Structures are given as structure tokens and as C-alpha cells.
Amino acid sequence: MTHPLRQHIEEIIDLTDEEFEYIFSHFETVKKRKHQYLIQEGEIAQKEYWILKGCVKSYFLDENGKEHILRFAMEHWWITDYESFVIQTPSNIYIDCLEDCELLYISYENRDKLTSEMHKMERFWAKKSKLGRIALQKRILSLLKNSAKERYDLLLEQYPKLFQRVPKKMIASYLGVSRETLSRLNS
Amino acid sequence: MTHPLRQHIEEIIDLTDEEFEYIFSHFETVKKRKHQYLIQEGEIAQKEYWILKGCVKSYFLDENGKEHILRFAMEHWWITDYESFVIQTPSNIYIDCLEDCELLYISYENRDKLTSEMHKMERFWAKKSKLGRIALQKRILSLLKNSAKERYDLLLEQYPKLFQRVPKKMIASYLGVSRETLSRLNS
């Protein structure tokens, strides 16, 4: 059976068996339990994760200790704190597990090595990075432009599975609305 | 004298004279007058611009015709609607010139050609894309977390030149505050 990571990469570039084996040798597997952290504020992100199983959230805490959710990630999504990972500076955010998770990860050094050695992998991650940038631009447009109701509908349309897996108060935090507002939207 | 685009690219990767000449042959130059558009809502972005001289803004119009500014760009910055350019779908935004501008641009086809042919250029634009993504993440954090005063101070610290070149009402739009609030912050 084709490894899901290979299927995922081959949505963008084709690989030979040897190429995938070589790429895969740069990854490690790790299991995390619900509530465990992938990164905490103040740490430098050394790993980019690819989710085999489970669901995580990234968020920051404001000065009052209130959680603001940046994004969720589920099966076959990449996640790290890209600011910390790319520039290798201390992170301002947390990423933790909403469920027991099984993850692949690649270290900063191995990712840099792979992209230097293999034009194909540079191209793969460049495409992923471009798509990530687009998702963030959409989020900004949505925060500036859409009502809470519109943001809710957009999220429901894009990620219907999220609503079955993630507590409502977290959806509210992601949308930047109160839990009460969300209850109204939800009814 | 070294071309400013070469200096700019060589901040990330080294180029031979032949390589730069080849790269540069994929660019065109264009002059635009103040108020002219680089892209308008509904068009598919076919060009990525690099600013030689001048200042532009990207924005969208909400249903009431109100302008919300996404970003500014000045000398030696790249700009296009990345969502439209990368996925080749109709744009939701406008980009227009705040001053008379001199620009280099590369077409979608030529950019794809260059990045396919030259691993170095794939790497260069991948790095640029990663940095663009980080800037957007910072913007989201700032919109969710910081007060108007903090957002103002951050912008002033990051881009002091903007405040000399851009009308105050546009700074207010970028920050998501009213012009009156900005006047208070500014005094």
C-alpha cells in the first residue's frame, strides 16, 4: 500500500520508489497524548509535523491569559509555528493536541537538507507554503470583511469535520466571537 | 553597477552573471501613473510585480464600498494577488499605485518556467513565500491580540517611511481603526 505521505506529496510532484524512500528516511514518527504540546511559547520550533492521526490547535495567550486560536490541523495537514521554524526565533504561540495523535515530523536541518538536495522537494514545499500564505490572506480578508455569521458558514463549508471533533468554545475562539454568539449561529 | 534586482535575489542565493542575465530576460519593465491599477477585482493575476520606484496598496471593497487595506508595498518589494496568481482564479482585491511607479514584472508562465528550470530560483521564491506567510501570520496575531495603539506603534517601527508617503486615512484603514482614533494615536 502506498504510504499516505507519498500520496500527499504526489498530489504535487511525482516520485520514484527510491526518491520516496530517501525522503521518508528524513522523517521520524511520534505519538502524543491529548493535551500534550508540540510547541510552547518561548521555544524555537525545530520540527515541522505532518499529522497521520488526530487533531491539533495552534493558539496564543493574550496578557489576560485568554486563548486566541490561530488554526486547527487534522489528518494529512502540516503544522508548526512557521515564524519560529523559518527564522529560528522563539515562538509566540502554542500548539497542542486536541486528541491522541500520531505524527510524522522532519527537523529543520533535514528539511533544509532535502530541499537543497532535491529540487522536487523544494518545489513541493514551495507550493505548500504558497497555499498556506493564501489561506492566511483569506483569513485576514474574512476577519476584516465578514460578519460572525459569514465566518461561521465559511468554516463549516471548508471544514465540516471540524465541527464534529472540536469543542464549540474553540470554534468560537477561532472565529473571534463569543460562545453565546456561536450558539445563536449554531441553532 | 549591480542591478537592484540582482542585489535583492543575492540576499538569498548567489548568482553568476550568466544566471542573472538569463533570469532578467524573463522580466519586463512597466511604468504606471498614480491611481493606475496593477490588478482589479474579477481579473486573474497574470503578473508578479517587483517595485523599482514608487508605492502601491492592495485592498478590497466591502459590500458598502468601503476600502479595507491589506498591505502596502514600496521599492524592492514583490506584490501581486497571490491567491489569484498561484491558483489562477479571479481576484477579490485591487492593487493600485499611490505614486507614479516604475515596476518590473514576471508573467505566471515565466515564473513557472524559471522555477522549474532553476532550483536556485525555486529556492529564492520559496524563501520569499515563507517570509510572506510569516508577515501574514503576524498580521493575524496583531489583529486578534493588539490594541489600536500597539498596532500603530508596530507599523511605525517596522515601516517608518510609510508614514511619510501614505495618507493617514489609509494607515487607519490598514490598522482597522477610524481616522479619529489614528489622530489621537498620532498626537
Side-chain angles (χ1 to χ4, degrees):
Chain A
M1 203 188 95
T2 314
H3 193 283
L5 181 64
R6 180 166 178 178
Q7 287 178 2
H8 173 76
I9 297 172
E10 289 198 320
E11 286 169 15
I12 292 174
I13 49 158
D14 290 325
L15 297 174
T16 64
D17 292 350
E18 291 69 32
E19 283 172 334
F20 179 70
E21 261 173 53
Y22 183 69
I23 292 161
F24 195 64
S25 72
H26 292 76
F27 282 83
E28 305 277 343
T29 311
V30 66
K31 288 186 181 191
K32 297 269 185 183
R33 294 173 64 90
K34 187 174 174 174
H35 301 309
Q36 274 194 300
Y37 290 101
L38 302 186
I39 187 159
Q40 299 189 65
E41 190 181 354
E43 295 173 358
I44 296 174
Q46 299 295 354
K47 296 166 183 165
E48 186 180 21
Y49 292 90
W50 191 73
I51 303 175
L52 280 164
K53 195 176 162 305
C55 184
V56 309
K57 70 176 195 293
S58 70
Y59 61 98
F60 67 91
L61 296 178
D62 66 22
E63 55 267 43
N64 303 312
K66 193 180 163 211
E67 200 174 294
H68 299 263
I69 293 181
L70 280 168
R71 54 174 292 215
F72 301 100
M74 294 176 295
E75 282 80 12
H76 303 178
W77 293 24
W78 296 91
I79 194 159
T80 185
D81 175 6
Y82 287 96
E83 180 176 355
S84 174
F85 188 69
V86 169
I87 317 183
Q88 292 284 289
T89 49
S91 179
N92 298 310
I93 68 171
Y94 296 83
I95 303 176
D96 68 15
C97 298
L98 293 170
E99 304 169 354
D100 292 349
C101 286
E102 203 179 321
L103 309 137
L104 290 176
Y105 69 82
I106 185 163
S107 68
Y108 177 82
E109 288 73 20
N110 272 344
R111 193 188 198 278
D112 191 57
K113 174 173 173 282
L114 266 190
T115 53
S116 301
E117 289 173 354
M118 296 178 70
H119 185 168
K120 278 184 178 184
M121 288 309 287
E122 188 84 76
R123 197 162 178 84
F124 169 74
W125 268 306
K127 185 72 187 283
K128 282 288 159 192
S129 176
K130 284 189 272 191
L131 295 174
R133 182 180 186 170
I134 289 169
L136 291 180
Q137 173 159 326
K138 281 188 172 178
R139 179 101 197 270
I140 291 174
L141 279 170
S142 179
L143 279 171
L144 291 171
K145 184 184 190 174
N146 294 128
S147 68
K149 168 73 176 148
E150 288 164 334
R151 295 207 296 277
Y152 176 86
D153 290 343
L154 210 63
L155 189 69
L156 186 60
E157 187 190 309
Q158 288 181 308
Y159 310 115
K161 280 185 191 163
L162 258 187
F163 286 74
Q164 294 150 27
R165 291 173 75 170
V166 171
K168 290 287 175 291
K169 67 171 183 183
M170 290 181 190
I171 302 272
S173 166
Y174 177 86
L175 293 171
V177 302
S178 71
R179 205 172 165 179
E180 293 70 35
T181 306
L182 187 72
S183 296
R184 275 202 312 280
L185 297 175
N186 208 22
S187 60
Chain B
M1 204 186 95
T2 315
H3 193 284
L5 181 63
R6 179 165 180 178
Q7 288 179 2
H8 174 76
I9 297 172
E10 289 200 318
E11 285 169 15
I12 293 174
I13 49 157
D14 289 324
L15 296 174
T16 65
D17 292 349
E18 291 69 30
E19 282 172 335
F20 179 70
E21 260 172 55
Y22 183 68
I23 293 161
F24 195 64
S25 72
H26 292 75
F27 283 83
E28 305 277 343
T29 312
V30 66
K31 289 187 180 188
K32 296 270 185 184
R33 293 172 65 90
K34 187 173 173 174
H35 300 309
Q36 275 194 298
Y37 290 101
L38 303 187
I39 186 159
Q40 298 188 66
E41 190 180 354
E43 295 173 357
I44 295 174
Q46 299 294 355
K47 296 167 183 167
E48 186 180 22
Y49 292 90
W50 191 73
I51 303 175
L52 280 164
K53 195 175 160 308
C55 183
V56 309
K57 70 174 194 295
S58 70
Y59 61 98
F60 67 91
L61 297 178
D62 65 22
E63 56 265 46
N64 303 313
K66 195 181 163 211
E67 199 175 295
H68 298 265
I69 293 181
L70 280 168
R71 54 173 292 215
F72 301 100
M74 295 176 293
E75 283 80 12
H76 302 179
W77 293 24
W78 296 91
I79 193 159
T80 186
D81 174 7
Y82 287 96
E83 181 175 355
S84 174
F85 188 69
V86 169
I87 316 183
Q88 291 285 289
T89 50
S91 178
N92 298 310
I93 67 170
Y94 297 83
I95 303 175
D96 67 14
C97 298
L98 294 169
E99 303 169 354
D100 292 348
C101 286
E102 204 179 322
L103 309 137
L104 292 176
Y105 69 82
I106 186 163
S107 68
Y108 177 82
E109 289 73 21
N110 271 344
R111 194 189 198 276
D112 192 56
K113 176 173 172 282
L114 266 189
T115 53
S116 301
E117 289 173 354
M118 296 178 70
H119 186 169
K120 278 184 178 182
M121 288 309 288
E122 188 84 77
R123 197 162 178 84
F124 169 74
W125 268 306
K127 185 70 186 283
K128 283 289 158 190
S129 176
K130 284 189 272 191
L131 295 175
R133 182 180 187 170
I134 289 169
L136 291 180
Q137 173 159 325
K138 282 189 173 177
R139 179 101 197 271
I140 292 174
L141 279 170
S142 180
L143 279 170
L144 291 171
K145 184 184 190 174
N146 295 127
S147 68
K149 168 72 177 149
E150 288 165 332
R151 296 207 296 276
Y152 176 86
D153 290 343
L154 210 63
L155 189 68
L156 188 59
E157 187 190 308
Q158 288 180 308
Y159 310 116
K161 280 184 193 163
L162 258 187
F163 287 74
Q164 294 149 29
R165 292 173 74 170
V166 171
K168 290 288 175 292
K169 67 172 181 182
M170 291 182 189
I171 302 271
S173 166
Y174 177 86
L175 293 171
V177 302
S178 70
R179 204 172 166 180
E180 294 68 36
T181 306
L182 188 72
S183 297
R184 275 204 310 280
L185 297 175
N186 206 21
S187 60

